[in-house]
Amino acid sequence: MDGFDLARLTDVDFEAVCKDLFEDLLGVRLEIFAPGADQGIDLRHLGSDGHRTVVQCKHWIKAGRAALIRHLAQHEAAKVRRLDPARYVLATSVDLTPQSKAAIVQALAPYGMREGDIFGLRELESELRKRPELVRRHLRLWLTSAGVLDSLLSREIVVRSAALAAEIEETSLTYVPNASFDRAMKLLESKHVCVISGIPGIGKTTLAHVVLAAHRAAGFEIVEVSEDAEEANRLWDEAVPQVFYYDDFLGQTTLEDKLHKNEDVRIISLLRRSSRSAGKRFVLTTREYILAQARARYEKLASQDFDTLGCVLDLADYTPLIRAEILYNHLYFSRLGPRQRAYFAAPEAYWPIIRHKNFNPRLVSATIDAFVDETFAPQEVFEAILENLTRPMRLWAHIVEEQLGESDVHVLLCLLLFGGSARTDELQTAWTAYRRHLAAPVDLERMRRSLRVLDGTVTRGADSVRGRPGVVFHNPSIRDYMGEYVRERPDVFLALVASAVYYDQIAACRPLLRGLRSADTALVAELRRSLVARSIEMMDESAPATRYHSELDKLTTLLLVSEDFDLAELSDHVAGRLDDGTDVFASAGDPDDVAQFVRAVESSHEPRVRDHAARLAGLAVKDALGDLGSWDGCLWAEAVLDGLAELAPRAAVEEVEAAKMRLAIREFEWWSEGDGPLDSEIFDFAESFSDPEAVFPQFDLVRRAHGTRTVLDPPASHAGTAHASTEEMNERIIRMFSSLGRDAAGL
């Protein structure tokens, strides 16, 4: 493996790489010198005859040759003379010339150093290229490789968004290997599928990015799934090793944006398809509580054994040493000034953060980013990190309420009502309408400035949101905060509802209404009236929407909002539509829409609505059984009947099962006759039988036709952290942070 980049390692990383490299080069075991003043020793070997070999590591790329030579002459020469080692080796990430090596020998005179014991950047790279296993052992060494990251964009199918490549590059700078990486890699190697879950900010997306980079380095193409599982099926290439990445596959905060178009069935099918293909990997992320909600709501997801595929991230994965490295890396690569970074060289600055019960990588990172201005005193940065770990929402409150302008906040509010992801043109339309409602100045240059201010901190650009450039929240916790912001300000909420342009904005209000807090009952009453009026107004088919919303979908939303918040006017409107005999199912775009509406009618508090439940259930079953001649028709019917539960007669369920069996047998026969490929979902259906070959004689032939390929071996675990004693870990942490003090000296 020759794709690596020494220039982007921290001092600690560089020293660890040198230890392994020179142990191999010198054929001896090297110890890392005790913390504190290093006396000119980074690595040391004491021979049985008392002779000492010292290896000094200088990661000084930013300083350059002249600064290195000057430092050696002024500070290191006296230490070397006192030590008088049998052999003194200098390893530096500075690119040295023959002349600069001669100058180093002169700087360390009268100690008789050999030029052959001076290893500059090119010599180190040359030796590392001869040792690919050593490189692979140090994940961060090759993970940050420009070559690996550039290759992410080598083909359109690999990453359709340049933003993902940039995110992976940023992640690679601060990532610290921990036990979760090994768990995820082993799951992908054995099961080919890994569902990464955990609490907000714990590092799910970070882990996914690192896993993707590891697979890309091993020859896989990366396919980002942004809308639904069908994207992965369209881009599936049997001849190419691929890793599919589906971030927040169940939504960012709740299941309000429910899975559409048999998405639960498609996801399960894709999981199974990936699991039996040696050249495919499938990485998904979700919050734990959303996964629990989904399994309670969707029968297909409930039947999937996610426990065997899950890599749950929790604080137990972050030992004190790993927490220390996370904090150190974020400080090292931050835009904090030297004086601010140097403050964290003291134990009283880093221990309270490392030991905090709510330690959270995202909050640490976001707080440092928010306090990069050098006008903040070093102690203010430290106190902000501690305070934000104790009160997580305080960080976004500080940014939104103290650092952003009015126009910037308005962009965030409008983005919230798009669910946190909007096309730029749609966001511009909503922002303009909201500003006009408030009688605030409206000019597009003002909005463009706001987008530039927000980008990279609270929002980020997306190459494709429904096929066009867009804007998304930088991470889900910002969306959480903006939701709380609106709930605490009904006047703001009212203005957003009154100025809404798209149906999607009204639909997004339902989860925001939960937990609405205000003592101003008149204002809340006005908000309710406005929401009722706009909801009914947006039922009009001509009302603009960013996504497709069927009439059935809209009626369901009206009914659910009515039931949740006792808005009788909305129930009356739905009852009126049902009384006039409207064929509500004609517009259904999703079987779950059908079942959910019938269930909502059945459980309505309004008798006029509830009286239609039996009639609607009968119509839903009749419509579902009307197209059992195709596999998709069977899946639709099955999803409707599953959703209706006890409202669906057993005879209807058996009719669908029989139709699926007939179709599957026919499809296997056609495949064996050479009449085309077999649908993976039909193979999954056959595989679910205890003895598939008894029902489908061609089953084993199909299975063997998939072939096998082993493409990736997981890298070795992060060396040296798993079994270190408490004393050793503490010493390593002290040594690590002491290096930040050099910033103040300009080294």
Side-chain angles (χ1 to χ4, degrees):
M1 177 182 289
D2 59 358
F4 53 84
D5 188 357
L6 285 167
R8 300 173 66 197
L9 297 181
T10 65
D11 293 346
V12 176
D13 296 328
F14 182 72
E15 189 174 281
V17 169
C18 287
K19 179 180 185 296
D20 282 1
L21 174 61
F22 285 98
E23 281 185 340
D24 190 58
L25 273 172
L26 304 177
V28 297
R29 179 183 175 277
L30 295 171
E31 59 179 324
I32 293 181
F33 200 67
D38 66 13
Q39 302 176 28
I41 304 172
D42 284 328
L43 306 172
R44 176 181 66 182
H45 171 70
L46 292 176
S48 57
D49 56 2
H51 289 187
R52 284 180 294 184
T53 298
V54 170
V55 180
Q56 190 72 2
C57 307
K58 297 294 182 185
H59 189 36
W60 278 33
I61 285 182
K62 297 177 183 178
R65 296 173 194 147
L68 174 65
I69 295 169
R70 185 169 56 252
H71 176 79
L72 291 172
Q74 295 176 358
H75 300 282
E76 298 297 326
K79 296 178 183 177
V80 176
R81 285 196 295 272
R82 285 195 300 271
L83 288 169
D84 192 26
R87 186 174 184 183
Y88 182 83
V89 177
L90 176 66
T92 178
S93 53
V94 176
D95 193 8
L96 301 176
T97 63
Q99 292 80 8
S100 56
K101 286 191 175 185
I104 289 173
V105 170
Q106 181 62 36
L108 295 177
Y111 174 77
M113 186 177 192
R114 296 171 292 182
E115 287 191 20
D117 282 341
I118 301 174
F119 291 77
L121 179 63
R122 296 185 191 184
E123 288 85 3
L124 292 177
E125 289 177 341
S126 175
E127 294 298 336
L128 287 169
R129 286 192 186 96
K130 300 173 187 175
R131 298 165 174 81
E133 288 308 312
L134 189 156
V135 173
R136 176 166 284 278
R137 192 158 66 244
H138 290 272
L139 181 70
R140 284 177 44 78
L141 178 61
W142 56 266
L143 184 65
T144 58
S145 162
V148 169
L149 295 168
D150 288 346
S151 70
L152 290 170
L153 298 172
S154 61
R155 287 178 57 183
E156 182 180 1
I157 192 175
V158 177
V159 177
R160 288 163 294 146
S161 168
L164 178 59
E167 288 170 24
I168 292 175
E169 181 172 6
E170 184 178 348
T171 296
S172 69
L173 287 174
T174 55
Y175 177 70
V176 177
N178 59 75
S180 65
F181 176 76
D182 288 335
R183 291 201 305 272
M185 293 296 285
K186 288 174 182 175
L187 268 175
L188 287 165
E189 185 65 15
S190 60
K191 305 281 189 180
H192 301 178
V193 176
C194 179
V195 180
I196 301 171
S197 61
I199 63 173
I202 196 66
K204 299 181 293 295
T205 301
T206 295
L207 176 59
H209 285 176
V210 175
V211 166
L212 292 176
H215 281 76
R216 183 65 192 102
F220 280 76
E221 289 185 340
I222 298 175
V223 179
E224 183 184 16
V225 179
S226 57
E227 291 291 336
D228 55 44
E230 188 55 34
E231 285 186 274
N233 288 322
R234 289 196 303 270
L235 295 170
W236 186 286
D237 186 340
E238 202 62 60
V240 177
Q242 292 172 302
V243 54
F244 296 91
Y245 172 48
Y246 200 168
D247 194 25
D248 282 319
F249 78 106
L250 295 173
Q252 286 192 325
T253 57
T254 69
L255 281 173
E256 292 299 332
D257 298 325
K258 60 185 181 301
L259 302 177
H260 285 289
K261 299 178 182 177
N262 278 332
E263 180 70 354
D264 56 335
V265 177
R266 306 289 186 198
I267 288 172
I268 296 302
S269 176
L270 193 55
L271 291 175
R272 292 173 179 167
R273 188 179 182 189
S274 299
S275 68
R276 62 174 177 264
S277 179
K280 297 292 182 284
R281 303 291 185 268
F282 195 11
V283 179
L284 308 95
T285 70
T286 185
R287 297 186 182 189
E288 280 183 280
Y289 68 87
I290 296 180
L291 179 58
Q293 288 176 358
R295 295 177 75 174
R297 177 170 176 175
Y298 294 99
E299 183 178 347
K300 297 297 182 184
L301 292 178
S303 65
Q304 174 66 49
D305 187 3
F306 281 99
D307 293 340
T308 63
L309 304 174
C311 178
V312 180
L313 266 173
D314 58 40
L315 287 178
D317 288 314
Y318 298 136
T319 65
L321 179 56
I322 289 172
R323 293 182 182 204
E325 289 188 63
I326 290 172
L327 174 61
Y328 175 83
N329 289 349
H330 280 293
L331 292 167
Y332 185 92
F333 289 110
S334 74
R335 291 179 290 121
L336 292 174
R339 190 170 60 94
Q340 292 168 315
R341 278 197 296 269
Y343 181 85
F344 288 89
E348 56 267 26
Y350 57 78
W351 277 124
I353 297 171
I354 294 168
R355 291 169 172 161
H356 200 287
K357 65 179 182 179
N358 296 332
F359 182 86
N360 184 291
R362 179 188 292 161
L363 285 171
V364 169
S365 170
T367 307
I368 291 172
D369 287 345
F371 284 80
V372 293
D373 191 326
E374 291 199 45
T375 59
F376 289 109
Q379 186 171 349
E380 287 183 275
V381 182
F382 160 72
E383 291 172 350
I385 295 174
L386 274 185
E387 181 65 18
N388 290 337
L389 290 176
T390 303
R391 297 168 51 210
M393 285 299 176
R394 177 186 175 277
L395 170 62
W396 304 122
H398 173 81
I399 293 174
V400 172
E401 298 174 30
E402 298 182 32
Q403 295 186 358
L404 298 182
E406 179 186 71
S407 172
D408 311 331
V409 175
H410 292 172
V411 169
L412 297 179
L413 290 169
C414 292
L415 185 58
L416 176 69
L417 258 64
F418 285 103
S421 172
R423 284 174 22 176
T424 306
D425 57 337
E426 295 164 350
L427 185 60
Q428 174 183 307
T429 300
W431 179 87
T432 299
Y434 182 61
R435 299 273 293 178
R436 283 179 177 155
H437 178 81
L438 298 175
V442 175
D443 62 273
L444 296 185
E445 180 53 37
R446 187 187 298 266
M447 181 183 173
R448 282 191 284 269
R449 284 198 302 269
S450 290
L451 289 175
R452 288 194 294 271
V453 168
L454 298 170
D455 186 54
T457 302
V458 289
T459 67
R460 58 180 173 82
D463 285 356
S464 179
V465 176
R466 295 180 299 284
R468 299 282 294 275
V471 180
V472 300
F473 282 126
H474 199 280
N475 65 63
S477 67
I478 303 168
R479 176 174 161 171
D480 293 346
Y481 170 74
M482 292 308 299
E484 290 300 308
Y485 183 94
V486 166
R487 290 185 187 96
E488 293 173 356
R489 296 167 175 82
D491 56 328
V492 173
F493 202 160
L494 175 60
L496 287 168
V497 170
S499 65
V501 177
Y502 300 98
Y503 172 78
D504 306 68
Q505 295 173 278
I506 297 300
C509 289
R510 185 184 171 212
L512 295 175
L513 283 167
R514 293 194 179 94
L516 184 67
R517 292 181 290 279
S518 177
D520 191 338
T521 55
L523 186 59
V524 171
E526 186 179 355
L527 170 61
R528 290 162 64 94
R529 286 194 297 272
S530 179
L531 184 60
V532 168
R534 296 310 309 279
S535 296
I536 294 174
E537 179 184 337
M538 286 289 187
M539 282 294 298
D540 190 324
E541 289 184 7
S542 64
T546 66
R547 300 174 179 85
Y548 171 72
H549 296 277
S550 67
E551 181 185 29
L552 183 63
D553 184 28
K554 292 180 179 181
L555 283 172
T556 303
T557 300
L558 287 187
L559 197 52
L560 293 176
V561 171
S562 168
E563 298 297 323
D564 284 351
F565 307 105
D566 195 25
L567 300 177
E569 302 96 322
L570 295 184
S571 293
D572 288 342
H573 183 81
V574 174
R577 300 295 285 267
L578 296 177
D579 289 342
D580 66 16
T582 301
D583 183 2
V584 292
F585 298 136
S587 66
D590 187 313
D592 188 53
D593 289 350
V594 175
Q596 186 180 25
F597 182 68
V598 175
R599 303 293 298 192
V601 168
E602 184 202 27
S603 60
S604 174
H605 299 155
E606 173 56 55
R608 279 185 62 204
V609 174
R610 197 168 55 247
D611 288 346
H612 289 275
R615 178 179 66 85
L616 291 172
L619 284 175
V621 171
K622 181 180 177 181
D623 287 353
L625 300 180
D627 180 22
L628 298 182
S630 68
W631 190 256
D632 280 344
C634 287
L635 290 181
W636 177 288
E638 186 176 49
V640 170
L641 299 180
D642 284 349
L644 291 175
E646 73 277 0
L647 295 177
R650 180 61 196 168
V653 175
E654 292 172 351
E655 186 175 344
V656 174
E657 291 174 349
K660 288 179 69 177
M661 179 68 77
R662 288 194 301 272
L663 285 169
I665 291 173
R666 186 185 69 184
E667 290 289 329
F668 269 90
E669 290 172 349
W670 284 356
W671 178 87
S672 66
E673 294 168 4
D675 288 342
L678 185 73
D679 190 299
S680 64
E681 293 174 5
I682 295 177
F683 183 87
D684 291 340
F685 172 73
E687 196 174 34
S688 67
F689 287 76
S690 58
D691 185 6
E693 288 183 79
V695 184
F696 308 96
Q698 308 88 351
F699 181 81
D700 196 50
L701 288 173
V702 175
R703 179 165 50 194
R704 283 189 277 120
H706 281 280
T708 57
R709 281 194 310 275
T710 300
V711 187
L712 177 67
D713 292 319
S717 302
H718 184 43
T721 62
H723 304 293
S725 68
T726 300
E727 183 179 356
E728 288 172 326
M729 283 203 298
N730 289 345
E731 287 184 350
R732 291 174 66 176
I733 290 170
I734 293 169
R735 180 180 179 82
M736 182 190 311
F737 282 94
S738 66
S739 69
L740 292 174
R742 288 210 316 249
D743 283 354
L747 299 179

